[in-house]
Amino acid sequence: GKQWYQRRVRGGVSRMPVVGFGSWQCKPGVVGAAIEHALLNGYRHIDCAPAYENEEEVGEAFTRVFKSGKVSREEVFVTSKLWNTYHRAEDVPTACAKTLADLKLNYLDLFIIHWPVCMEPHTGQGLFPVDGNGETMMDSKSPSFAETWGALEKLVDEGKCKNIGLSNFNIKQIEEVLKVARVKPACLQVESH
């Protein structure tokens, strides 16, 4: 059967395909066709992020494929990420709602904290807010991992995310989350070359 390519998500409720198709660095006008091709040729895990600046086009591809009936939403494991300017508890639901709207989905299979870095929100400067000296603006309220994680757990409770996880965290940072986690991190995603 097809079970060899799926593994139970640790601490989560889903089976995640071990090989996924990433949308990072996919150019506009190309990413949608790439996602569509990947899904129609057997990929069942799609990795997205608002920071990739292409989730709307990915969502359009999802809509085309799911409407075709060749692949159903339930067959596809979709991962997205919480960006650095949305770590405050009150901003986490907004970030998730935007991702769901852009991807044209009702839920995410996995929503992970993209980086253990909190940048100043609501500046209107996009992904990387900077001050008058050109320096990255770190969040003036410095939300803790516990605050952000608690807001992610509420998304699980509401059915917006089936699993939540981490990305690019070190051991000390992971331990900080584990101390307060009611819902354990389902994964640690890292980039490796």
Side-chain angles (χ1 to χ4, degrees), residues 6 8 10 16 41 57 82 89 100 114 122 131 160:
Q6 295 183 345
R8 172 98 24 221
R10 184 176 184 88
M16 178 174 66
N41 285 281
E57 190 174 340
L82 179 71
L100 289 171
H114 204 152
H122 315 296
D131 64 18
K160 303 240 165 75

Side-chain angles (χ1 to χ4, degrees), residues 25-32 52-54 57:
Q25 295 186 326
C26 288
K27 293 180 172 49
V30 175
V31 67
Y52 304 165
E53 299 183 296
N54 58 21
E57 190 174 340

Side-chain angles (χ1 to χ4, degrees), residues 19 42 44 46 60 81 95 104 130 143-144 165 173 179 193:
V19 175
R44 292 297 180 265
I46 304 297
E60 292 165 5
K81 300 169 191 74
K104 296 165 183 48
V130 294
S144 67
Q173 294 162 335
K179 285 179 192 173
H193 299 273

Side-chain angles (χ1 to χ4, degrees), residues 77 141 162:
F77 190 97
K141 292 188 178 178
K162 289 187 175 186

Side-chain angles (χ1 to χ4, degrees), residues 21-23 26 29-46 48 54 56-71 76:
F21 186 87
S23 60
C26 288
V30 175
V31 67
I35 295 294
E36 200 168 337
H37 185 77
L39 288 170
L40 294 174
N41 285 281
Y43 279 90
R44 292 297 180 265
H45 181 179
I46 304 297
C48 311
N54 58 21
E56 286 185 58
E57 190 174 340
V58 171
E60 292 165 5
F62 285 156
T63 298
R64 285 191 301 275
V65 171
F66 300 153
K67 280 187 177 178
S68 77
K70 294 177 182 171
V71 179
V76 181

Side-chain angles (χ1 to χ4, degrees), residues 26 142 149 166:
C26 288
S142 298
W149 195 257
L166 306 170

